[in-house]
Amino acid sequence: MSKVKAEYIWMDGHEPTQKLRSKTKVIDGPINSIDDLPLWGFDGSSTNQAEGNDSDCMLDPVCKVPDPIRGGDDILVMCEVMNPDGSVHSSNTRAHLRSVAEKFSNEEAWFGIEQEYTLFEGRNPLGWPEGGYPAPQGPFYCGVGADEVFGREIVEEHLQLCMDAGLEVSGINAEVMPGQWEYQIGPLGPLDAADQMWISRWLLYRISEEYGVSATLHPKPVKGDWNGAGAHTNFSTKSMREKGGIDVINEACEKLSKNHDEHIIVYGAHNEERLTGLHETCSIKEFRYGVSDRGASIRIPMQTANDGYGYLEDRRPSANMDPYRVCSILIETTCS
Ligand code: ADP
Ligand code: MN
Ligand code: MN
Ligand code: MN
């Protein structure tokens, strides 16, 4: 029987931002479905998920993709963390999205998430002069040339890995701050979008290792006159995508305006450093929506306004947000 390496990936209990952990299980292949994968355990006292005297947590496989790094029949496995008795662990934010997705399945929600991130080499963003600053922002966004963009070989390799893993990645671009990049996942249903976002993040961290570079999702990796890093979340329901959908989108924006604070709580730690009202953001203290407005909380894309249907872009989530929580609250607020 052929052996398969399965990389079990889960979210830990780190505060205020949960991080990814993973370990490898060698199992008898072939693995045809998610149900062929056994439950597994880990030491929750080392991940801020349990006390030392009662430290076992359970890993429940929920999503698997080909492992594009190891290749062959090897796989990456996203897991939910459970308590030893099989109940949902308090750090498990996916379980709630599971119930929300099911409750509102008739809405056919789609998500497209833009993941911005910053590559660091040691204490500096990649390509920045030691202890100093590059030229002011301006030429770097979607730039080309060795003096404009830094880390393209990592970014290209990450894109290819995402595609080889079968992720629905829809594009990449260099960002406004040098060393900062973006990729997009989606549009997909809520669980697929969020699972794929976490797996794509794992691939980003993992492939950066090979280059001695670390990727950070901090929303404001460099203080001062430098763009922060967000995770714009593009969202639509079936009725928003149909003729007359613009009315549904406007209604959704009105509902969002009444729940701004509840959303900000789950839109990522340190987001106040990023949502200042400068650098293409709306202040964290305000809520505004508008067509083509990149200084608004919610942007209605020009195409959507012209067509009279489409989707909205929530520009508030920060790069380090948890897509399970963001997708949950967007559906709950706008569909209730
Ligand atoms: P921006 O112009 O803000 O940089 P991007 O092109 O980076 O936008 O990202 C837009 C994202 O929105 C993509 O991931 C795309 O797949 C997604 N998207 C497109 N249409 C929809 C839709 N109807 N519902 C949800 N997401 C969508
Ligand atoms: Mn974008
Ligand atoms: Mn961007
Ligand atoms: Mn955007």
Side-chain angles (χ1 to χ4, degrees):
M1 198 175 266
S2 69
K3 297 281 187 183
V4 169
K5 285 175 252 173
E7 190 73 12
Y8 277 49
I9 303 170
W10 74 97
M11 292 162 64
D12 70 8
H14 196 269
E15 290 175 0
T17 303
Q18 292 176 261
K19 297 182 181 222
L20 286 173
R21 309 272 180 145
S22 72
K23 59 175 182 166
T24 309
K25 190 170 185 61
V26 178
I27 46 185
D28 292 330
I31 301 299
N32 297 313
S33 96
I34 193 79
D35 301 322
D36 295 340
L37 288 162
L39 297 171
W40 202 14
F42 68 96
D43 167 18
S45 69
S46 299
T47 62
N48 205 26
Q49 283 165 308
E51 302 295 334
N53 57 357
D54 182 13
S55 66
D56 281 352
C57 291
M58 201 196 287
L59 293 174
D60 185 1
V62 291
C63 167
K64 72 169 179 67
V65 299
D67 181 341
I69 296 177
R70 287 179 171 144
D73 289 332
D74 296 337
I75 52 177
L76 304 177
V77 182
M78 193 68 205
C79 300
E80 284 190 29
V81 175
M82 300 300 205
N83 295 311
D85 66 0
S87 61
V88 173
H89 189 272
S90 59
S91 65
N92 178 348
T93 54
R94 188 181 187 277
H96 182 62
L97 180 59
R98 236 190 308 126
S99 65
V100 170
E102 191 178 325
K103 182 175 172 195
F104 296 98
S105 61
N106 59 331
E107 299 278 354
E108 295 180 31
W110 289 0
F111 291 89
I113 303 173
E114 303 169 51
Q115 177 69 66
E116 294 179 343
Y117 61 95
T118 312
L119 297 173
F120 269 76
E121 201 167 24
R123 297 161 66 90
N124 286 317
L126 194 61
W128 288 39
E130 187 64 40
Y133 295 93
Q137 293 186 158
F140 307 110
Y141 171 75
C142 296
V144 61
D147 53 339
E148 311 282 19
V149 296
F150 309 101
R152 195 188 293 276
E153 66 277 28
I154 303 174
V155 173
E156 285 286 333
E157 190 167 355
H158 177 249
L159 173 62
Q160 190 61 50
L161 291 171
C162 288
M163 294 170 70
D164 292 346
L167 306 186
E168 195 68 36
V169 58
S170 71
I172 55 174
N173 59 267
E175 269 303 335
V176 175
M177 185 181 101
Q180 205 165 74
W181 294 83
E182 169 181 316
Y183 64 91
Q184 306 99 29
I185 296 279
L188 288 166
L191 284 169
D192 287 334
D195 287 340
Q196 292 197 15
M197 182 50 66
W198 278 116
I199 292 170
S200 68
R201 286 174 175 179
W202 187 90
L203 284 169
L204 178 63
Y205 297 135
R206 174 64 189 80
I207 199 59
S208 298
E209 282 177 12
E210 309 283 320
Y211 296 86
V213 165
S214 63
T216 176
L217 305 186
H218 195 286
K220 192 75 177 183
V222 185
K223 316 290 171 223
D225 197 16
W226 302 97
N227 271 40
H232 298 167
T233 302
N234 300 275
F235 168 65
S236 64
T237 60
K238 186 163 183 281
S239 59
M240 293 179 187
R241 295 189 294 269
E242 291 173 348
K243 200 157 171 283
I246 193 72
D247 296 334
V248 185
I249 291 171
N250 282 321
E251 263 169 57
C253 291
E254 287 299 324
K255 288 178 182 168
L256 290 165
S257 77
K258 297 187 179 73
N259 294 275
H260 179 61
D261 294 343
E262 291 84 341
H263 279 247
I264 288 297
I265 288 168
V266 297
Y267 277 8
H270 316 295
N271 205 8
E272 70 285 349
E273 295 178 32
R274 163 180 166 260
L275 295 181
T276 57
L278 301 172
H279 305 115
E280 301 170 68
T281 70
C282 182
S283 163
I284 199 166
K285 300 192 195 78
E286 290 169 40
F287 179 93
R288 280 204 315 275
Y289 67 97
V291 175
S292 297
D293 186 355
R294 284 172 199 273
S297 319
I298 307 277
R299 176 173 69 100
I300 298 171
M302 181 184 62
Q303 187 73 41
T304 295
N306 290 346
D307 292 342
Y309 56 87
Y311 63 100
L312 61 84
E313 177 193 43
D314 192 339
R315 301 175 60 81
R316 296 171 294 171
S318 63
N320 60 357
M321 61 80 150
D322 172 1
Y324 294 134
R325 302 181 79 179
V326 170
C327 293
S328 293
I329 197 169
L330 272 168
I331 296 173
E332 288 177 295
T333 299
T334 61
C335 298
S336 299

